[in-house]
Amino acid sequence: MCWMSLGVYGRSLQRPFRPEEYSLKETSPHLGGGAAGDKLTTTYDLVEQMQYLYVRVVKAKDLPSKDITGSCDPYVEVKLGNYKGTTRHFEKKTNPEWNQVFAFSKERIQSSVVEITVKDKDFVKDDFIGRVLFDLNEVPKRVPPDSPLAPQWYRLEERNGHKVKGELMLAVWMGTQADEAFPEAWHSDAASIPGDGLASIRSKVYLTPKLWYLRVNVIEAQDLIPSDRTRFPDVYVKAMLGNQALRTRVSPSRTLNPMWNEDLMFVAAEPFEEHLILSVEDRIAPGKDDVLGRTIISLQHVPRRLDHKLLNSQWYNLEKHVIVDGEQKKETKFSSRIHLRICLEGGYHVLDESTHYSSDLRPTAKQLWKHSIGILELGILTAQGLLPMKTKDGRGTTDAYCVAKYGQKWVRTRTIIDSFTPKWNEQYTWEVYDPCTVITIGVFDNCHLNGGEKANGARDTRIGKVRIRLSTLETDRVYTHAYPLIVLTPAGVKKMGEVQLAVRFTCSSLLNMMHLYSQPLLPKMHYVHPLSVMQVDNLRRQATNIVSTRLSRAEPPLRKEIVEYMLDVDSHMWSMRKSKANFFRIMGVLSPLIAVAKWFDQICHWRNPLTTILIHILFVILVLYPELILPTIFLYLFLIGVWYYRWRPRQPPHMDTRLSHAESAHPDELDEEFDTFPTSRPPDIVRMRYDRLRSVAGRIQTVVGDLATQGERLQSLLSWRDPRATALFVTFCFIAAIVLYVTPFRVVVFLAGLYTLRHPRFRHKMPSVPLNFFRRLPARTDSML
């Protein structure tokens, strides 16, 4: 094994494998809140209830002035124990409106009274205007889908209990995280976060922009006017859409009416902000091109195609920009034009994630969507044992949040401040159109708590990622597990903690879902008019760039590093570790075939005489009754499937460090995997890695060459490349045809089977005649340089 010889040098550095550390653990959370009949369980049944005290400060009226100037700059302070939240203040206003909500976690409540105070902002010391007190034992409880609690006017009091001028409109209630006010509320858990950082800690839902493939068929151009008329032009077309640029080949017809008939493919996102810019250029010399004309096309007016039928082509006038005395002027050459066929492809699915982990396979055009087959529900509960991701005030801390992506919908939980055991308990729902899709959940550390402007280019740190394939889930079953959060670092594999999830896949129609297993995975256009592997790879790179750019422009942004990690942008990069892992995956797939071959070899060599005799009896029965062969095979497969049912997996898949060869990876291999592209390592290290890669590639090259040789030997049986060998084979075929015509087929099979299963005393240690003949056949290796 080529990988084994290369991996020997790293064995002494391998850490002992600890399967329990990286295993999946089943949990028993208290989902839904408890008592049967609780209204919350109908919509929020995959998370644990978290109790909050909500205070909605609506507005005030008739506030007295405390300043010497007779004006009032009011704000409200809501205090509960050690936690204190304040509203924004208004200048010179006695009837302010705030409409702000404050949420205090019941777990951290240290007082039995909530104090709501109205104050007048001042330069030296803020003046007390009045307050309202609420006993927590008297606060009503609200459970959705009850309507929100109506706010009421409350008369302000002095500290001694006497009523003062002014009233405050409030609503105070006990609720859970299912409350509508929860997402936008000020949370006591985030009391230390400044106002400009609050947006980055709230939970949000994001939608991926609708992506289209734009096909530009460049057909021909007419009546071009080159700057140098003494030579035949080398003309090509360059097309640009945003930061995407493609070009055709140079036209083989070196005339003023060149032809290409070449397709260029782009990724476009709604709303269409960029224009398509096409320029016809003449290559005068290496590195020197002359623009013969340019046209700009708005995508708003480009037709949309749902199938493979050709749309009408169109001629476009080419304009030429000429610089005169430093000023750019536009000359329109109506005699020069270009012939194009442009369309937005609605029948393809625009791949923006790794094809192995796709969460959505629908075509772009909504008219081609089929009905959904079910609902996916995800409860993001808690995390345990998170490691400190940064240092604050001399101690390690983590501000964790989760991102989940399925289809076009991304969700982001709120950030739990300074906790290694954060509790989110947020539930989200997606429609499912195909069971053979994957939901991805990532955990990150928030480095933007002081607002985006003060982050100084900080990047949110990845803590770990979980993927769950829906087809591995039983329908209508709630899966509650703690998933290990595993990342690969230059120092090796590392467990960052665990995230606890609750997942349920509900199927609306079992028949529709079973029918999907007979349907193609991708939309029809991918098979009728397929894209090349190179095109798919380039288009996917452009699609991920567009998605990450658009989501990073949202407010709050879903940052580029988050989107790229969730979409596995770097999955195509070379890695010695991944190559070894894939090699051993192939060996794992082939191992049953190798085991069957070894078992059959033992049968033929009579290692267990009783088993060999039973195989003889079965063989004779099948020869005498050949109609039993296929039923016997299918019955055997059926029995194997039923037998394995008792050992079926009861847990969703999770990251496997042993399968990934993350535990046994050599440090230099990990350093190579985390190297930039192009490399940033010193020349001597690059030379060593290049030599190692050449060694591995040489072994792979030898194996591929051997496979090609065997195939070419099969071809040479009838190609007369070796006339004597072909003559022998053709003669043998003629004699075999006559013998098989006159001999019953059962007799031939019977004799061949007995010969194969013959006793070892009738066997020779030398290779058989057919094998000797095959190995002597010529291949095309003689013609290789």
Side-chain angles (χ1 to χ4, degrees), residues 331-581:
E331 282 187 9
T332 304
K333 302 289 185 182
F334 288 103
S335 58
S336 297
R337 54 184 190 162
I338 187 169
H339 193 194
L340 305 171
R341 182 180 287 110
I342 306 177
C343 66
L344 289 163
E345 298 279 12
Y348 289 94
H349 168 69
V350 180
L351 292 165
D352 62 341
E353 52 195 341
S354 173
T355 50
H356 301 295
Y357 317 123
S358 290
S359 63
D360 185 16
L361 300 166
R362 291 171 293 170
T364 300
K366 204 167 184 178
Q367 305 94 298
L368 301 177
W369 290 4
K370 295 181 172 62
H371 294 294
S372 66
I373 59 160
I375 295 293
L376 171 65
E377 295 166 281
L378 173 68
I380 303 174
L381 305 177
T382 64
Q384 299 289 332
L386 296 185
L387 300 181
M389 303 304 296
K390 56 180 178 282
T391 303
K392 184 179 180 182
D393 299 330
R395 62 182 183 86
T397 181
T398 298
D399 307 309
Y401 67 92
C402 280
V403 174
K405 189 252 191 260
Y406 184 79
Q408 295 180 332
K409 178 179 171 182
W410 298 63
V411 300
R412 170 180 175 159
T413 67
R414 69 192 187 283
T415 300
I416 305 299
I417 307 300
D418 191 16
S419 175
F420 300 133
T421 57
K423 294 183 179 180
W424 295 285
N425 284 305
E426 297 183 26
Q427 185 168 337
Y428 299 95
T429 304
W430 289 266
E431 279 191 301
V432 177
Y433 292 86
D434 194 314
C436 302
T437 46
V438 176
I439 182 171
T440 304
I441 303 103
V443 184
F444 302 90
D445 175 51
N446 196 332
C447 297
H448 296 83
L449 301 182
N450 293 321
E453 301 302 322
K454 301 177 184 178
N456 296 325
R459 293 165 60 90
D460 288 357
T461 312
R462 57 183 71 169
I463 298 177
K465 182 165 56 179
V466 175
R467 298 190 198 97
I468 303 173
R469 186 170 293 274
L470 270 57
S471 59
T472 62
L473 305 178
E474 298 176 14
T475 53
D476 300 316
R477 176 186 165 189
V478 178
Y479 289 83
T480 52
H481 291 88
Y483 294 80
L485 295 170
I486 302 168
V487 296
L488 194 65
T489 68
V493 68
K494 192 174 185 180
K495 183 178 177 182
M496 310 295 287
E498 296 176 343
V499 61
Q500 187 177 348
L501 305 174
V503 185
R504 177 170 57 206
F505 172 41
T506 307
C507 175
S508 56
S509 171
L510 184 61
L511 190 63
N512 287 346
M513 186 170 68
M514 292 301 187
H515 173 67
L516 275 177
Y517 279 88
S518 66
Q519 300 299 304
L521 199 61
L522 292 168
K524 181 180 177 182
M525 280 292 288
H526 287 269
Y527 307 98
V528 176
H529 208 303
L531 304 173
S532 68
V533 175
M534 189 70 73
Q535 274 183 315
V536 170
D537 191 45
N538 291 333
L539 291 170
R540 185 198 161 209
R541 195 177 303 115
Q542 296 297 341
T544 53
N545 280 337
I546 291 173
V547 170
S548 61
T549 302
R550 290 287 180 94
L551 292 181
S552 65
R553 285 164 46 188
E555 187 56 47
L558 197 60
R559 301 186 182 276
K560 187 180 179 68
E561 64 268 21
I562 306 300
V563 177
E564 290 182 348
Y565 181 56
M566 297 289 287
L567 293 179
D568 289 289
V569 168
D570 298 327
S571 61
H572 65 284
M573 294 296 290
W574 155 263
S575 161
M576 183 74 79
R577 175 190 61 83
K578 289 181 184 176
S579 301
K580 275 202 262 187

Side-chain angles (χ1 to χ4, degrees), residues 158-175:
E158 285 276 9
R159 289 193 174 93
N160 56 15
H162 295 137
K163 300 294 181 183
V164 296
K165 183 184 178 184
E167 292 182 82
L168 187 62
M169 181 178 276
L170 299 170
V172 183
W173 71 96
M174 293 296 298

